[in-house]
Amino acid sequence: QPCWREYLTTRIEQNMVVNCTCPISECHAQPTTAFIYSIVSSEEIIAKYEKALLRRYVECCSNLTWCTNPQGCDQILLKDGLGYGAACSKCSWISCFNCNFPEAHYPASCSHMSHMTCAKCNHGFCWRCLKPWRPNHKDYYNCSAMVSKAAWQEKRFQDYNERCTFHHHAREFAISLRNSISSIREMPKIRNLTFVLDACKVLEQARKVLAYSCVYSYYNQDTESMDIVEQQTESLELLTNAL
């Protein structure tokens, strides 16, 4: 039971409990809610587990969504029957449920918020990613208007540069954390913290890979291979953040 408690607690804290299975690799059974309640006694951990269940429920319901207030709001909204004038009952923020724009944008349509057309060559492109206006958005924006092309290049550089800088700072944090733990290990009567040091080293290496993958992605123009690279990078970033 202590092993199960530690395993489930770790999964809950990492927001990975909803799809977790038995720790034995050959067993794919998932622990039930009743089982988790019987094993985990911490009220704080149980509260996190219930929040994870709620998030999963909202994600699975096509007519439910979270309030999109960028300042933060945990209110659940019902999409059906809501018009442009409907606001969150908790924070009064008016959301758009038809696109990724964070707030209602009436009278502009959702298409207006992202679909732009070059005045020189009539090339349609997405304002968010600056790529051709297609459902899959897989091709790079290739407009002959120098002003628009310069704006795209500047935005693309800023996006990758910000991501790269973030991972470099996170890597420095991992190094600082490892140094702090190393000094703690030297104190008497402190249990062995080798596993934490190993985790910091892995974290440091992952941040380094993520930082330089931004440089690789910026200079790589092969859109087909970049789809795979971006997927792998996103997966690594999610796991690194969890670590």
Side-chain angles (χ1 to χ4, degrees):
Q1 191 177 31
C3 295
W4 265 108
R5 182 181 297 109
E6 183 176 353
Y7 171 71
L8 293 173
T9 298
T10 301
R11 285 288 180 170
I12 293 172
E13 290 180 335
Q14 294 178 347
N15 292 322
M16 300 172 64
V17 67
V18 176
N19 294 320
C20 80
T21 58
C22 175
I24 299 177
S25 58
E26 294 80 8
C27 180
H28 301 290
Q30 293 184 323
T32 64
T33 298
F35 178 75
I36 293 176
Y37 281 145
S38 66
I39 295 295
V40 180
S41 58
S42 171
E43 294 183 1
E44 180 181 357
I45 299 300
I46 289 296
K48 290 183 179 180
Y49 170 64
E50 292 174 344
K51 286 183 179 179
L53 290 180
L54 181 60
R55 284 196 302 270
R56 179 61 179 271
Y57 177 75
V58 173
E59 291 172 358
C60 292
C61 294
S62 59
N63 65 331
L64 295 180
T65 187
W66 298 98
C67 175
T68 59
N69 189 336
Q71 300 299 322
C73 179
D74 58 359
Q75 186 77 347
I76 300 173
L77 304 179
L78 180 66
K79 294 182 181 180
D80 296 344
L82 288 179
Y84 286 108
C88 174
S89 59
K90 184 174 182 179
C91 69
S92 300
W93 182 263
I94 304 177
S95 305
C96 177
F97 301 130
N98 298 316
C99 68
N100 293 326
F101 201 73
E103 64 178 339
H105 41 72
Y106 180 83
S109 68
C110 295
S111 178
H112 289 153
M113 300 310 297
S114 54
H115 188 187
M116 306 296 290
T117 303
C118 176
K120 183 175 181 179
C121 68
N122 292 321
H123 177 78
F125 63 95
C126 174
W127 178 248
R128 291 187 176 278
C129 65
L130 296 179
K131 297 176 184 178
W133 186 252
R134 298 177 183 177
N136 53 11
H137 280 15
K138 286 186 176 180
D139 297 325
Y140 281 112
Y141 173 51
N142 189 25
C143 178
S144 59
M146 296 305 295
V147 174
S148 296
K149 187 173 183 179
W152 166 73
Q153 290 175 338
E154 181 179 1
K155 182 180 185 300
R156 186 166 179 265
F157 172 80
Q158 289 177 347
D159 289 343
Y160 280 108
N161 185 58
E162 288 176 359
R163 289 169 56 189
C164 183
T165 302
F166 168 80
H167 290 304
H168 276 306
H169 287 328
R171 181 188 175 195
E172 292 174 359
F173 169 79
I175 295 174
S176 176
L177 182 62
R178 177 162 56 87
N179 292 336
S180 298
I181 295 174
S182 296
S183 62
I184 293 176
R185 285 186 64 201
E186 296 174 359
M187 297 176 61
K189 299 181 180 179
I190 297 295
R191 65 191 182 93
N192 196 316
L193 297 176
T194 302
F195 71 99
V196 183
L197 289 173
D198 292 340
C200 289
K201 292 178 182 178
V202 172
L203 187 60
E204 177 186 345
Q205 181 64 24
R207 290 298 184 186
K208 179 181 178 181
V209 171
L210 287 168
Y212 289 112
S213 70
C214 295
V215 179
Y216 174 85
S217 297
Y218 176 76
Y219 287 106
N220 195 324
Q221 298 295 321
D222 186 351
T223 57
E224 184 175 351
S225 65
M226 279 309 301
D227 286 341
I228 300 175
V229 172
E230 291 290 349
Q231 291 175 5
Q232 293 177 336
T233 302
E234 182 180 358
S235 177
L236 175 60
E237 187 167 0
L238 289 172
L239 294 172
T240 303
N241 291 337
L243 178 60

